[in-house]
Amino acid sequence: MTHYASVFQNPDAVEKYETVTYAPDSYGSAINERQRAYLRDLIKRSFPVRRPVQHDFACGTGRAIRLLHGAVRGAHGYDTSAEMLAKAAEVGTAARLHRIAEDGPVPAPAHEEGPVLVTSFRLLLNVDESVRDRLVGFAAQALPDRESGLLVVENHGNRHSLRHLAARRRSGRRWFAELSHAEVGALLAGHGFEIVERRGFSMFPQSVYAKRWARPAARLVDRIAARIPLLSAVAVNVLYVARRHT
């Protein structure tokens, strides 16, 4: 069983994820606010004729779905954890929620008329390669061709960011992992996707935000950096927007 699947069967871990990781004024909530603004603008730019239906893979407590309430035509959330799905419903996530198997055949997305937006947040670093392939295989079913819509995935541990300075010290720790832009690109390309846009949402690791005196300056820098696509190269937290090749 993956770290993600095993940990988030525990109601206490689910509650901590919702109320501590994304508590007001936290590192997670600051990134969340920037991602919300970017994604809602992305939808306006990319789907000018008809709003998409969102399919959020490993939806957890529904955070990424709630980011887009009102910006999408409808939403589906998929997760292996019944506890996560229950919390998503409890906090008012407006979506059809689906519990999926941890292994076996790649789950099929619910049938909806296009266009489609597939999203996945805080998953890539928490799972092994087989689950990453499962995610992108799911996306490939939902997005069979270039005109079907977009895939958005998050890497919250870019190998080429300041976070990497802690790599040796934290080597082997359960929740410390890294992925490079090239590794994410290769994963997507293996399923017929190409990255068409990339944006960073934090130049600083969480440890900087933990210092109260540094937090205001870090927030200011990160708000500005989130508007400059080139800085995603060295951002800690990165979103990749992809389309099918053909």
Side-chain angles (χ1 to χ4, degrees):
M1 186 181 292
T2 67
H3 289 168
Y4 176 88
S6 60
V7 168
F8 290 118
Q9 306 297 340
N10 183 324
D12 291 338
V14 173
E15 187 66 23
K16 180 180 178 181
Y17 182 84
E18 180 66 19
T19 61
V20 177
T21 302
Y22 289 97
D25 202 37
S26 67
Y27 181 69
S29 67
I31 291 173
N32 198 54
E33 291 167 9
R34 295 177 206 120
Q35 289 180 340
R36 181 182 187 276
Y38 168 75
L39 288 169
R40 295 176 82 90
D41 177 69
L42 175 71
I43 289 172
K44 288 180 182 178
R45 291 187 282 112
S46 303
F47 302 97
V49 176
R50 193 183 194 203
R51 291 178 298 166
V53 172
Q54 181 183 12
H55 295 264
D56 191 40
F57 191 89
C59 67
T61 61
R63 176 183 64 90
I65 297 173
R66 295 194 301 277
L67 286 181
L68 300 182
H69 279 175
V72 295
R73 205 169 73 249
H76 295 265
Y78 307 80
D79 207 281
T80 60
S81 168
E83 287 76 11
M84 280 289 208
L85 294 174
K87 175 57 74 171
E90 178 187 322
V91 298
T93 304
R96 289 181 59 190
L97 301 174
H98 309 267
R99 189 177 183 189
I100 56 175
E102 296 162 14
D103 49 28
V106 174
H111 177 71
E112 292 275 4
E113 292 185 9
V116 165
L117 175 71
V118 178
T119 54
S120 188
F121 288 74
R122 294 186 71 88
L123 180 69
L124 293 186
L125 295 190
N126 298 339
V127 296
D128 60 29
E129 187 175 343
S130 66
V131 181
R132 292 171 189 158
D133 279 322
R134 194 172 175 80
L135 154 64
V136 189
F138 170 88
Q141 292 184 65
L143 299 164
D145 56 55
R146 190 171 181 83
E147 302 307 314
S148 301
L150 296 175
L151 166 63
V152 178
V153 294
E154 179 185 44
N155 173 9
H156 61 288
N158 173 23
R159 193 184 304 278
H160 302 296
S161 67
L162 286 174
R163 183 178 182 269
H164 180 69
L165 297 176
R168 182 175 296 180
R169 177 165 47 88
R170 296 186 179 181
S171 177
R173 291 193 184 182
R174 185 179 196 180
W175 291 109
F176 189 85
E178 299 178 294
L179 283 171
S180 68
H181 298 313
E183 288 170 317
V184 176
L187 169 67
L188 298 179
H191 293 267
F193 286 94
E194 61 178 341
I195 296 171
V196 296
E197 193 166 316
R198 191 178 72 188
R199 191 66 62 90
F201 296 91
S202 177
M203 302 301 294
F204 299 101
Q206 188 169 355
S207 58
V208 174
Y209 275 62
K211 298 176 175 64
R212 184 170 297 181
W213 60 267
R215 195 181 306 159
R219 282 181 177 272
L220 176 61
V221 170
D222 283 346
R223 280 198 300 270
I224 295 170
R227 301 171 190 161
I228 304 173
L230 285 175
L231 290 179
S232 64
V234 291
V236 173
N237 181 286
V238 182
L239 290 185
Y240 306 83
V241 181
R243 284 190 185 272
R244 295 300 293 272
H245 287 298
T246 57

